[in-house]
Amino acid sequence: MSETWNKRTQMVHGGTRRSQYNEVSEAIFLTQGFVYENAEQAEARFLKSGPDEFIYARYGNPTVAMFEDRIAMLEGAEDAFATASGMAAVNGALTSLLKAGDHVVSAKALFGSCLYILENILANFGVEVTFVDGTDLEQWRAAVRTDTKAVFFESMSNPTLEVIDIAGVAEIAHAVGACVVVDNVFSTPVFSRAIEQGADVVIYSATKHIDGQGRALGGVILGTKEFIRGTVEPYLKHTGGALSPFNAWIMLKGLETIALRVNAQAAATQQIAEALEGNPALERLMYPGLKSHAQNALVQTQLGGKGGTVLSLDIKGGKDAAFRFLNAMNVAVISNNLGDAKSIATHPATTTHQRLSDEQKDELGITPGLVRFSVGLEDATDLIADLEQALVVSQI
Ligand SMILES: *Cc1c(COP(=O)(O)O)cnc(C)c1O
């Protein structure tokens, strides 16, 4: 029955497993293991366990399973495997899929830790990676080969908010039999239709919009039942990237409100971007929801016109001006998460992307004046007033 419900209903009820007490709010099964009725049952379960037969929390747990089923419904995926963090999900998906000698094509505009996995870890294990400008389909077409096993990209890049054409890249990748792995954090599971558009594997850091209140780390890998149970689960259950039942419960409760939160945050981000566009303190304002954004047409078809909950501001005057701006803000906080109820401003060049060389920063557009701004659930008019006064201070 739950398969036919609309997403909002699925996010409240989907995946629920009730104990013998019939609790209303989902139970936290804070247990590492499960008792067998007899030795024969233990033997049978280790031989082959059904979807609701648990062995050990590193393999699976009822609270974690509730979260996996609920997020799979939202994404429209056959199955999901929850992980301890977003990075455990990126690493788990790529490492379980690839082996020495394989070739991968990746967009070069990536979150710092994703770049580390592709540039360093995969290289250490003999996987060859070719980096391309993700927005240029010609570069993807030129880079794929018959031995390309996977392509990887962030569908909306961090922090410059380039949008990558999932259907376009998928067509190129599938022509050579490569698996399309998408880190979809900035697009959010609320606006994503990545699987229908050709993604084979979708990854989220649940730390962002799924929790949505900055409390816990988590991640999830979504895909076909065959990929999740046949490829990902054997790797993750033996290497220990499991999500804790307590954090799974936080993420499960986050899904109950995710559509309300993310829609409100995206609407406020659009309002803020429109109010600040053309502000004299700005060199550039990047927001995919604006008509002036280079991939706005793609945002219409790929994301239903929703530009997400993050905008980036390139402030005139470089690092000093950006720091004056950050230090003058009264509502938003300076931190490095995103998708939180609290608005958060980040200076990528000196924090999240500090590790990159100056040439890499230049190439990715991570300028000294760049500030990433994640819009929270505060009143948009308060945020606009605060940002406008901080922009004035930035130019003094
Ligand atoms: C935050 C983030 C990650 C990593 O997630 P963690 O939960 O912090 O491990 C991966 N990719 C993108 C695009 C992110 O924003």
Side-chain angles (χ1 to χ4, degrees), residues 85-87 111 114 154 158 183 185-186 205 207-208 217-218 338:
S85 68
M87 288 323 303
F111 176 66
C114 292
E154 292 172 12
N158 174 16
D183 180 335
V185 169
F186 280 65
S205 161
T207 318
K208 314 292 167 54
L217 287 174
L338 60 98

Side-chain angles (χ1 to χ4, degrees), residues 131 180 230 329:
F131 288 97
V180 177
M329 288 183 324

Side-chain angles (χ1 to χ4, degrees), residues 136-202:
D136 182 353
L137 289 180
E138 284 315 310
Q139 291 196 22
W140 288 100
R141 205 167 278 126
V144 295
R145 315 191 305 224
T146 50
D147 63 340
T148 304
K149 187 76 186 288
V151 301
F152 179 78
F153 56 95
E154 292 172 12
S155 56
M156 197 186 279
S157 72
N158 174 16
T160 50
L161 309 173
E162 290 177 342
V163 185
I164 294 183
D165 182 351
I166 296 174
V169 176
E171 194 186 334
I172 294 164
H174 289 156
V176 296
C179 179
V180 177
V181 184
V182 179
D183 180 335
N184 218 21
V185 169
F186 280 65
S187 298
T188 84
V190 176
F191 302 137
S192 167
R193 286 183 292 121
I195 289 191
E196 170 190 325
Q197 289 157 352
D200 299 302
V201 180
V202 178

Side-chain angles (χ1 to χ4, degrees), residues 100-314:
D102 285 341
H103 177 242
V104 173
V105 182
S106 171
K108 62 185 164 202
L110 296 178
F111 176 66
S113 299
C114 292
L115 193 61
Y116 183 80
I117 289 179
L118 283 138
E119 262 189 329
N120 301 69
I121 298 179
L122 292 182
N124 285 346
F125 290 92
V127 175
E128 189 192 340
V129 184
T130 305
F131 288 97
V132 296
D133 172 349
T135 61
D136 182 353
L137 289 180
E138 284 315 310
Q139 291 196 22
W140 288 100
R141 205 167 278 126
V144 295
R145 315 191 305 224
T146 50
D147 63 340
T148 304
K149 187 76 186 288
V151 301
F152 179 78
F153 56 95
E154 292 172 12
S155 56
M156 197 186 279
S157 72
N158 174 16
T160 50
L161 309 173
E162 290 177 342
V163 185
I164 294 183
D165 182 351
I166 296 174
V169 176
E171 194 186 334
I172 294 164
H174 289 156
V176 296
C179 179
V180 177
V181 184
V182 179
D183 180 335
N184 218 21
V185 169
F186 280 65
S187 298
T188 84
V190 176
F191 302 137
S192 167
R193 286 183 292 121
I195 289 191
E196 170 190 325
Q197 289 157 352
D200 299 302
V201 180
V202 178
I203 293 165
Y204 290 101
S205 161
T207 318
K208 314 292 167 54
H209 305 85
I210 294 174
D211 173 354
Q213 290 166 76
R215 297 165 292 194
L217 287 174
V220 65
I221 306 169
L222 299 123
T224 61
K225 197 164 270 318
E226 187 190 349
F227 179 74
I228 296 297
R229 296 302 148 197
T231 302
V232 169
E233 182 188 293
Y235 177 81
L236 274 161
K237 82 179 190 185
H238 295 302
T239 54
L243 180 64
S244 94
F246 184 79
N247 288 4
W249 179 80
I250 288 178
M251 303 310 174
L252 189 60
K253 302 308 278 182
L255 288 178
E256 291 183 351
T257 57
I258 192 170
L260 292 175
R261 287 185 287 106
V262 168
N263 274 300
Q265 284 166 298
T269 315
Q270 181 78 33
Q271 204 182 328
I272 294 165
E274 286 171 8
L276 298 187
E277 197 176 29
N279 187 295
L282 294 177
E283 202 77 65
R284 208 151 69 99
L285 185 151
M286 287 148 267
Y287 183 60
L290 289 178
K291 293 273 171 283
S292 59
H293 189 278
Q295 287 99 36
N296 186 256
L298 184 57
V299 170
Q300 302 305 323
T301 53
Q302 185 160 298
L303 292 162
K306 306 291 187 175
T309 69
V310 178
L311 69 141
S312 289
L313 308 169
D314 195 355

Side-chain angles (χ1 to χ4, degrees), residues 368-384:
L370 190 75
V371 172
R372 186 185 80 191
F373 194 81
S374 165
V375 176
L377 288 169
E378 303 94 339
D379 192 297
T381 53
D382 288 338
L383 290 170
I384 292 168

Side-chain angles (χ1 to χ4, degrees), residues 158-160 281-286 312-323 326 346-354 356-372:
N158 174 16
T160 50
L282 294 177
E283 202 77 65
R284 208 151 69 99
L285 185 151
M286 287 148 267
S312 289
L313 308 169
D314 195 355
I315 296 169
K316 283 183 186 160
K319 180 182 164 187
D320 290 348
F323 275 28
L326 288 164
T346 312
H347 187 248
T350 55
T351 60
T352 53
H353 293 69
Q354 190 185 95
L356 303 188
S357 67
D358 288 345
E359 296 78 68
Q360 274 177 310
K361 284 179 199 164
D362 265 1
E363 205 183 338
L364 298 178
I366 301 169
T367 55
L370 190 75
V371 172
R372 186 185 80 191

